[in-house]
Each structure stands twice: as C-alpha cells, then as structure tokens.
Amino acid sequence: MHVVCYRDSDLSSTQRQRIARYRHRVFVEMLGWPLPANREGSEQDEFDTAPSLHVIATDDDARIVGYARLRPTTEPYLLAVHFASLLNGHSAPCDPHTWEISRYAAINLVDPASGCHTDVGKAVLRAAIVQARARGAERLVCCTSVAIERVALRWGFRMQRLGPPARHAADLIVAAGIEFDARTLEALAPKTKAFLDPFHSEAVPTASAAQPAEELAVRRLPQRQAAATFPITA
C-alpha cells in the first residue's frame, strides 16, 4: 500500500476524476449519502479547491483503497458550512492550528464486502496528521458517525465531541475533534518496522504534478488486508 498527499492545485485532471469517482462509489452508491454528484458518477463539492490537501492510499495495482481531504478552518469548510448545527450553538473553529478532515474512507472497491481492517484507515489518518502538523495544526475536526466514533476510541486516541449527536439520513452523526497529543500519536504509531514512520521523519513530503509522488506512510500489505471497509467522515 502507498499513501501520498497532493495539494489541490497540483492534482491533474485524471487524478481529480479518480478521486471524484472513488468518493461517489463510497459515499453516494454504497452509503447512500445525499451528496452533490453528476451523471458520470463523480462526487465533488465546493471544498475541492485550494488550499485543500488530498491524501490518497493505493494498492499495488494503483487502485485507490483509502482517501481523506484536509482543509484549514481559516477557509470555508464542510463542518462550518453544512453541519454547524452539530456544534451546540458554539462558533465553528476558525484557527490556523485547527484543520478539518472530511471524506475519509478506506474501502477497496474491488472487494467491498471483504470486511474492515484498520491498517488502511490508520495509515491514511497518520499521513493526514503528518501533513496537517507540518502546516502548524495541533488538532483535526470532523463530522463523523457515532459508530465510527466508537471505533476511533477503541483505537485508543483522544476524540472529543464538540456537541451532542444528531440524526442525519440513516446515521447518528457528531462533530468531534482529534488532538495531536501523545495518546493519539501513540495509538496511530506503526506497530512494525515495515512501516516508514512519518511521525519521526525529518521531512514531510507532499507530491505535486511536476514531480513523482513521494510516499509518506508505506507498508506492503497482503491483498486480503489491503481490502478494507472503513468509511469515517462526511
């Protein structure tokens, strides 16, 4: 498995379409979320613009198996614009030290029924934290389901609700924050030396269209493990 990060402005049209189709398959077709989509089976919204970052996990055949979008809260972002009601009357974060993670998923579309495995989800989240920290972030915020919130807590990192849960379509969802504290970093740390540990790397590379994509959090996984089912956030 390979995990890379692209600035939105550096995505090629082909890469952008691959992301949009993956997100459509996961969030619109599989989960049934009422998201903006076109007839070609692509899902994009108003936050797929600079300065967003796109974290992409691919398998050995270059198929997308995981994804997350990062966006600074100093710009308009999903939670603030569309899910502010989850904040219990509080203002949405607008802070250079707080970034949003959205459209976070780890599903192998070749075999979506293969079951959940945490390696892909953790690798994508780990790379997202590396990229956000490199830009001065100290926490992530997100809109997620209560079911996935429980999974995150079982992983061991500190996830704090920003308001009470609310019903949205078929899900009970909640706004939450993830602090980049020792507990979170330890919970996400690779458990094997087969990983390149980005938490202790001197440089945090970001791929661009002008140069080959550099790998961030890399592990060669057996195919049965790389086929994960792990939708996380709106």
Side-chain angles (χ1 to χ4, degrees):
M1 181 179 63
H2 311 270
V3 183
V4 297
C5 180
Y6 286 92
R7 302 177 188 90
D8 186 87
S9 58
D10 288 333
L11 286 175
S12 67
S13 58
T14 299
Q15 290 166 330
R16 194 177 295 278
Q17 278 302 307
R18 290 187 67 211
I19 291 170
R21 291 191 183 105
Y22 178 81
R23 285 171 23 180
H24 188 277
R25 287 284 307 279
V26 172
F27 294 104
V28 178
E29 297 179 30
M30 297 179 63
L31 298 180
W33 290 5
L35 300 175
N38 61 29
R39 294 180 181 178
E40 287 71 40
S42 298
E43 187 278 305
Q44 293 178 296
D45 64 16
E46 68 266 41
F47 309 112
D48 290 313
T49 58
S52 290
L53 303 174
H54 303 268
V55 179
I56 308 167
T58 57
D59 64 13
D60 290 342
D61 295 315
R63 293 181 295 239
I64 297 178
V65 294
Y67 172 81
R69 179 178 63 194
L70 292 168
R71 191 167 176 85
T73 62
T74 51
E75 299 285 337
Y77 62 101
L78 185 69
L79 175 60
V81 174
H82 295 297
F83 293 98
S85 60
L86 294 173
L87 298 172
N88 200 29
H90 297 290
S91 299
C94 181
D95 173 5
H97 301 300
T98 302
W99 280 53
E100 181 191 52
I101 185 169
S102 62
R103 298 296 193 267
Y104 176 18
I107 297 179
N108 187 325
L109 297 175
V110 174
D111 186 15
S114 59
C116 175
H117 198 285
T118 62
D119 279 346
V120 176
K122 282 190 174 184
V124 171
L125 182 55
R126 185 164 53 247
I129 289 177
V130 167
Q131 291 294 327
R133 287 180 78 196
R135 291 160 175 81
E138 298 174 357
R139 67 194 62 82
L140 295 175
V141 293
C142 65
C143 172
T144 189
S145 71
V146 170
I148 295 303
E149 177 192 38
R150 288 196 293 267
V151 172
L153 293 173
R154 285 201 300 270
W155 280 3
F157 60 80
R158 186 159 66 90
M159 192 169 190
Q160 185 173 8
R161 287 185 178 182
L162 303 179
R167 182 67 58 182
H168 178 72
D171 292 317
L172 194 62
I173 62 173
V174 66
I178 302 170
E179 294 288 337
F180 299 168
D181 59 9
R183 174 177 168 181
T184 295
L185 301 187
E186 175 62 25
L188 286 172
K191 303 305 181 184
T192 170
K193 292 181 180 179
F195 272 109
L196 166 65
D197 183 356
F199 289 143
H200 299 96
S201 299
E202 292 184 2
V204 183
T206 302
S208 71
Q211 62 188 93
E214 298 180 80
E215 296 173 12
L216 292 181
V218 182
R219 184 184 180 189
R220 310 297 275 189
L221 292 174
Q223 192 64 32
R224 62 179 179 83
Q225 291 186 345
T229 303
F230 208 83
I232 304 280
T233 69

